[in-house]
Every structure is written in structure tokens, then in C-alpha cells.
């Protein structure tokens, strides 16, 4: 890869939507990319649409845990390596599948994930801020919203 010149032309994106993301494995992967000559990498997470092809509601806690792990990967990687994070919201698994979680039911998840990234973590203050902005009285992250 180093000799091909590819690292000067592209920046790799590391995709992982799991709630139990392997932080150490991702840090090692970033180190491998750096040794190959890539100066920057991107992360890709999801705020919806990554937990099942026929999912109709968004389990915020799953996506929040994923983002908290990505923050941990960023903290354990060289400071200058992260170019950005693509916060995805998949609408369907393939063109032959039904739509999964529509955007309106996923807005609370999007807000929580964005605020966690913006604040470098999730706290009661972050939760209260999301509730205030969305006009909600009780934001549930570990169960489906009612």
C-alpha cells in the first residue's frame, strides 16, 4: 500500500455499528493504517437502521453505546489521526428489503448520539439537554420509547 501511492489519494473509513465495538482492535487497525502511510481515517457509526432489517423502533442505548466506544477509540488513537465521523442512518438493508426505522422515530437517537459526540460522552446533563431540545419529559435509552 505504501508504495502504491494510495495513502496519498484516499482516507479509509472504518465502519462498525455494534454496541460492543472492540476498542483495542480498532486502535490496532488505525495503527496498521498509519504504518501503511494513511495519515487520516474516518469512523462510521449509525444512529438508526443498524440493528435489524425489519426494525421499526430505535433502541437508543444500542447506538449510544456504539458512539461512546468510538469516542474511546478516538481518545486512544493519535490526536491527529481522526478526520471525522460519518453518522449514518440506514433506511433499508438492501433494495429488496422493506424500510426499517423511519427518521421520525429515530430523531431522539440522532439527538442523543450527536450530543454524546459533541460533549465527549453522555451524562445526566446531556440527557436533560436532549429532553429540553426535543420537548420530552422522559428520554428512555434502554427500552423502546413510548
Amino acid at each position: 500500500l505504501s508504495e502504491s501511492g494510495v495513502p496519498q489519494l484516499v482516507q479509509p473509513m472504518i465502519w462498525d455499528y455494534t454496541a460492543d465495538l472492540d476498542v483495542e482492535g480498532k486502535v490496532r487497525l488505525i495503527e496498521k493504517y498509519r504504518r501503511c502511510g494513511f495519515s487520516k481515517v474516518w469512523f462510521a457509526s449509525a444512529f438508526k437502521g443498524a440493528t435489524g432489517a425489519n426494525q421499526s423502533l430505535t433502541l437508543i442505548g444500542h447506538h449510544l453505546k456504539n458512539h461512546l466506544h468510538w469516542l474511546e477509540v478516538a481518545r486512544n488513537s493519535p490526536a491527529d489521526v481522526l478526520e471525522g465521523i460519518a453518522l449514518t442512518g440506514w433506511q433499508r438493508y438492501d433494495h429488496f428489503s422493506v424500510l426499517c426505522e423511519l427518521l421520525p422515530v429515530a430523531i431522539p437517537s440522532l439527538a442523543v448520539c450527536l450530543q454524546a459526540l459533541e460533549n465527549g460522552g453522555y451524562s445526566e446533563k446531556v440527557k436533560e439537554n436532549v429532553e429540553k431540545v426535543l420537548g420530552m419529559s422522559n428520554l428512555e435509552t434502554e427500552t423502546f420509547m413510548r
Side-chain angles (χ1 to χ4, degrees):
L1 278 174
S2 298
E3 294 173 13
S4 72
V6 169
Q8 286 69 46
L9 301 173
V10 300
Q11 296 174 339
M13 182 173 289
I14 305 170
W15 300 76
D16 197 325
Y17 306 142
T18 59
D20 60 348
L21 185 145
D22 177 9
V23 172
E24 290 178 20
K26 294 297 183 264
V27 171
R28 285 193 306 272
L29 181 59
I30 291 166
E31 290 168 1
K32 287 180 184 180
Y33 279 130
R34 290 291 288 247
R35 285 195 305 271
C36 290
F38 294 96
S39 60
K40 300 284 188 182
V41 299
W42 289 77
F43 300 159
S45 63
F47 70 91
K48 75 174 205 72
T51 57
N54 62 351
Q55 192 78 21
S56 58
L57 299 173
T58 306
L59 187 56
I60 297 169
H62 173 93
H63 301 288
L64 174 59
K65 288 174 189 165
N66 176 257
H67 285 88
L68 295 176
H69 281 110
W70 277 121
L71 286 169
E72 197 174 335
V73 172
R75 281 191 285 273
N76 288 298
S77 298
D80 63 338
V81 72
L82 179 60
E83 184 69 14
I85 183 165
L87 186 67
T88 67
W90 293 97
Q91 196 61 54
R92 65 176 78 205
Y93 278 59
D94 62 57
H95 294 289
F96 303 107
S97 297
V98 298
L99 297 176
C100 56
E101 305 148 79
L102 300 177
L103 181 60
V105 299
I107 297 261
S109 181
L110 175 60
V112 166
C113 293
L114 285 171
Q115 283 297 300
L117 292 173
E118 177 75 20
N119 290 283
Y122 188 72
S123 65
E124 189 62 31
K125 182 179 178 188
V126 171
K127 178 181 182 250
E128 289 171 5
N129 186 43
V130 171
E131 288 173 339
K132 180 180 175 188
V133 168
L134 296 180
M136 301 173 71
S137 60
N138 188 25
L139 178 69
E140 294 289 330
T141 59
E142 295 306 317
T143 59
F144 290 109
M145 297 287 294
R146 286 180 274 193

